Amino acid sequence: MTHADADQPRRPGLAERKRRLVHEELVDVAASLMAECSFEETTVEQIAAAAGVSRRTFFRYFASKEDVLVQSIAHIGAKLDAHLAARSPAEKPSVALRRAFDVFVRHPTDPKDVRLATVIVRTPALMGRYLEWQIQWRHQVAAVIAGRAGVDPAVDPRPLLMVSVAFAAFDSAMNRWVAGQGAVPLEALLDEAFTLVAPAMDLI
């Protein structure tokens, strides 16, 4: 192996690539079925059959039908932190936070994203799980904001307050996006919402 080869990122093996494909297919199928019917009416058996796998295989990937959709957003917090940390310290917090929320935006918009968001927003059980994740994300992102400003988030309330406003703006934009079934790009709705609340995110 050459030095150049050693510097190349390791390509996932066949088994890992297959596992990712099955995981993604289960998420896509679940979102589609739940958007057409409802979360309550969609069964694990229906999801597995539509994805072409057995019920037993389904449970090797997910503990429940709820986890199919909830786990699909679990990684967002880490990506949000990384995007924010990579922004220039010279940027206003409102600008840095807005750009960090681009982790929720895909170009071009994938119709599956609209279906997934629709199911989560309109299903109380899933929305509850999403909000649990969001509480964790708020504290993580607030720690990044505090680090950028050189303040202690344990005693200074401003970082968490700023991030809470940012998530309120995101939730407003996402609800409008879902209501319009993606007719207006999420990015445009985020721009509008963040512009309206920018002063409340520039407290430091």
Side-chain angles (χ1 to χ4, degrees), residues 62-138:
F62 302 101
S64 67
K65 66 176 183 180
E66 183 177 293
D67 282 344
V68 179
L69 301 187
V70 172
Q71 284 189 27
S72 69
I73 62 171
H75 65 288
I76 291 293
K79 292 179 68 175
L80 194 58
D81 292 349
H83 274 61
L84 180 60
R87 306 300 303 178
S88 168
E91 283 184 329
K92 287 184 177 181
S94 59
V95 175
L97 282 164
R98 167 61 193 91
R99 295 275 65 91
F101 273 78
D102 278 340
V103 299
F104 290 96
V105 178
R106 278 207 274 190
H107 298 287
T109 299
D110 190 329
K112 291 181 289 189
D113 291 340
V114 181
R115 291 199 297 269
L116 177 61
T118 299
V119 174
I120 291 174
V121 167
R122 295 180 179 175
T123 306
L126 295 176
M127 193 62 183
R129 290 287 298 277
Y130 160 71
L131 292 175
E132 287 178 10
W133 278 111
Q134 192 185 111
I135 290 171
Q136 179 179 321
W137 298 341
R138 289 186 188 200

Side-chain angles (χ1 to χ4, degrees), residues 18 25 61 102 117 134-135 157 162:
K18 180 180 178 181
E25 179 67 10
Y61 287 84
D102 278 340
Q134 192 185 111
I135 290 171
M162 294 159 63

Side-chain angles (χ1 to χ4, degrees), residues 169-191:
F170 169 74
D171 287 342
S172 173
M174 184 174 68
N175 276 284
R176 291 179 63 197
W177 188 54
V178 166
Q181 285 298 289
V184 178
L186 178 58
E187 184 175 26
L189 296 173
L190 284 172
D191 287 341

